[in-house]
């Protein structure tokens, strides 16, 4: 089968989020009808791990798990806080246990929003947790699904320093010139449907199509702010790229799916 011509690949979702718990079957059905042939489901917190694994076991012909610890966690009151080493320690054994099953380590990265990292020590904590997960990815020859909010340049610098090899920078909010530093390293960038209301048109214009893939980051980053996003919205990302790049949407779908399979080769287990 020529995998890259069969449909869309959503390279970054959170389908195990509680916003989907009551109608996940409809969401998956809508994705299929919209031409989605595979979607990567990422974790954020340790509590996400069993949810993501169970969901991907429920839909093994379309969903693929990614396990990792996000740079932003929640405290006992549900308030956002910076990740710590103990958060990672809680899940390392699980990542190791399922290393042969998962498609990537993720969602990992850096988040330097001032309210999350008001102190340099907190940025250092995030970097330490990221390095440990880059080491895990390299140990198991797995790609990385990376978050870099308000930290585009520091994230790319850290990934290079830590020896990250196969990288997806999702929903990149940094400068196009910074993104091009990632392109030099062979990194990929995924474009969500929120691109239609963002200020990142220059990013889409400058990124080579050979380094682009599609994502929804659902339930967030939809075309309408505040509304739940779904994988079925992936066509919006495709059409936007096609317009900016002056390419037929079918060609963008073909190229981005081919790129996704190159970056996440274990997707071939789904695309039989």
């Amino acid at each position: 089968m020529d995998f890259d011509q069969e449909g869309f690949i959503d390279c970054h979702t959170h389908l195990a989020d509680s916003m989907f718990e009551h109608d996940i079957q409809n969401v998956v059905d809508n994705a299929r009808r919209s031409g989605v042939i595979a979607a990567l489901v990422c974790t954020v917190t340790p509590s996400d791990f069993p949810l993501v694994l169970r969901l991907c076991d429920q839909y093994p012909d379309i969903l693929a798990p990614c396990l990792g610890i996000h740079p932003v966690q929640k405290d006992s009151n549900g308030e956002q806080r910076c990740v710590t080493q103990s958060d990672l320690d809680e899940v390392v054994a699980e990542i190791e246990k399922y290393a042969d099953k998962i498609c990537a380590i993720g969602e990992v990265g850096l988040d330097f929003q001032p309210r999350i990292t008001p102190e340099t020590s907190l940025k250092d904590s995030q970097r330490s947790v990221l390095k440990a997960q880059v080491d895990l990815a390299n140990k198991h020859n797995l790609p990385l699904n990376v978050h870099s909010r308000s930290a585009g340049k520091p994230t790319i610098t850290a990934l290079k320093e830590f020896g990250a090899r196969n990288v997806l920078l999702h929903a990149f909010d940094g400068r196009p010139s910074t993104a091009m530093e990632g392109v030099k390293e062979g990194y990929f960038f995924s474009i969500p449907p929120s691109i239609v209301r963002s200020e990142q048109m220059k990013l889409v214009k400058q990124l080579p199509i050979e380094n682009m893939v599609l994502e929804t980051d659902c339930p967030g980053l939809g075309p309408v702010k505040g509304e739940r996003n779904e994988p079925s919205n992936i066509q919006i990302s495709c059409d936007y790229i096609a317009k900016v790049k002056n390419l037929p949407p079918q060609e963008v779908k073909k190229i981005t799916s081919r790129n996704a399979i190159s970056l996440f080769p274990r997707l071939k287990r789904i695309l039989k």
Side-chain angles (χ1 to χ4, degrees), residues 29-46:
D29 289 344
N30 287 339
R32 294 187 202 273
R33 282 192 291 269
S34 301
V36 176
I37 54 173
L40 276 67
V41 187
C42 299
T43 57
V44 174
T45 67

Side-chain angles (χ1 to χ4, degrees), residues 62-63 73 76 127 156 176 184 196 200 210 241 252:
I62 189 170
L63 303 185
Q73 299 291 301
S76 57
R127 280 173 49 88
I156 289 176
K184 290 177 185 176
V196 299
Q200 286 294 68
E210 293 79 14
I241 295 168
V252 172

